[in-house]
Amino acid sequence: MSHKVVDYSFSRFSPAQLHDMGAVAVGRYLTVVNVHTEGKLLTHAEAQGLSAAGIGIVSTFEYQTSDALGGYQQGKEYAALAHEQHTAAGGPAGRPIYFGVDFDTPDYAPHLPNTPEHAHAKLGAIADYFHGINDTLGGPHLTGAYGGYWVIKRLFEAGLIGLGWQTVAWSGGQRYPRAAMLQNGFFASYDVNYADTDDFGQWRIGWQPGNPDTGMTPTMPATQVWHKVKPGDTLAALAAAYGTTVQAIAALNPGLITDVDVIDRSEERRVGK
């Protein structure tokens, strides 16, 4: 099953808005805090609100797009800061933190073939940066990376990350199969991602994948949007038209939609707010 994840930096969305989008989790940021970036930082109060609504959080560190060129010492420094901010926001111990490689990375060893044994050389200073992160956080199982196809592929092959978040940007239409999330929707105030695994690094305060179910029921909006099903309608088309997902529409219609590939044209279906 595919899970929708919305990531945003300076914008804020209420739990009801996120549920309307069909999102089960959000990607939120940790960063070097100054007058330009303080509004980007995930806070404990924000994490509490998201957690209470059953929305997972994916911790992601990014200060500048070129962070990963800073080398080993910068990797250590930013990892220590990321861990401190993740913990202050209520993030559980043992949850991975993603680090952004938010640019089109060149091949730093173009004379070598694209094989796993050369991945480290082809990453250049990016490899040093992730070595610093690994040494601070405790290993690749606690380290994730965001970036295009080649950097995610090479970081996995170099044994420097345990989780990958690939963007379609700088990917040339390729998708690396080990990436836990794929970012493929870009909007003014947020981006859309899909995860095909149940554990993509998300957490809530007091919960992480593998913990017993807390019994928490996501808060749904009080108002509703209904659609009168017409001949030719499909759930996929309705999801696209209303800015949600097939799975979210199915969840809003318990007992009415039992097969997401089949839609009964005799009834109205709830599609959101």
Side-chain angles (χ1 to χ4, degrees):
M1 179 178 177
S2 185
H3 306 288
K4 186 175 184 179
V5 183
V6 174
D7 73 278
Y8 48 92
S9 52
F10 292 95
S11 301
R12 294 294 183 272
F13 297 94
S14 70
Q17 289 173 312
L18 292 167
H19 285 306
D20 283 346
M21 293 179 188
V24 300
V26 296
R28 289 291 294 113
Y29 286 90
L30 315 169
T31 190
V32 175
V33 177
N34 57 37
V35 294
H36 303 293
T37 64
E38 59 185 352
K40 184 177 181 178
L41 181 67
L42 172 69
T43 66
H44 189 268
E46 181 187 354
Q48 280 184 315
L50 293 167
S51 297
I55 297 169
I57 301 164
V58 177
S59 294
T60 309
F61 183 92
E62 184 174 299
Y63 175 43
Q64 298 175 324
T65 57
S66 59
D67 287 347
L69 297 178
Y72 180 82
Q73 281 303 129
Q74 184 156 290
K76 285 182 66 68
E77 176 186 339
Y78 283 179
L81 177 60
H83 183 266
E84 176 185 329
Q85 292 174 340
H86 167 85
T87 303
R95 285 280 80 193
I97 299 173
Y98 287 86
F99 292 81
V101 186
D102 205 358
F103 61 97
D104 190 2
T105 57
D107 182 344
Y108 291 97
H111 59 288
L112 297 174
N114 281 314
T115 52
E117 62 267 28
H118 299 303
H120 195 285
K122 288 179 171 292
L123 287 166
I126 297 171
D128 298 329
Y129 179 73
F130 277 88
H131 273 298
I133 293 169
N134 275 226
D135 286 352
T136 302
L137 294 185
H141 65 292
L142 297 174
T143 305
Y146 165 90
Y149 172 84
W150 285 108
V151 72
I152 297 300
K153 177 179 186 292
R154 289 166 178 157
L155 285 167
F156 269 117
E157 290 176 345
L160 292 171
I161 58 172
L163 281 173
W165 175 2
Q166 184 188 335
T167 175
V168 295
W170 319 306
S171 293
Q174 301 183 88
R175 180 172 183 182
Y176 190 61
R178 292 178 65 187
M181 291 193 291
L182 180 70
Q183 183 186 69
N184 59 5
F186 306 93
F187 300 89
S189 57
Y190 66 96
D191 297 326
V192 172
N193 315 264
Y194 289 93
D196 292 328
T197 179
D198 289 337
D199 186 351
F200 44 92
Q202 78 275 29
W203 56 271
R204 300 195 298 265
I205 293 177
W207 176 90
Q208 57 184 302
N211 283 3
D213 194 333
T214 61
M216 188 179 299
T217 302
T219 303
M220 299 305 291
T223 55
Q224 303 175 3
V225 173
W226 294 82
H227 176 88
K228 178 66 176 177
V229 178
K230 304 181 297 296
D233 281 350
T234 66
L235 286 180
L238 294 183
Y242 287 93
T244 184
T245 67
V246 168
Q247 290 77 17
I249 294 174
L252 290 169
N253 295 273
L256 296 177
I257 297 175
T258 56
D259 183 344
V260 296
D261 294 320
V262 176
I263 184 167
D264 182 349
R265 298 187 177 92
S266 64
E267 301 285 348
E268 288 186 337
R269 291 293 178 264
R270 184 178 167 194
V271 294
K273 271 178 114 177

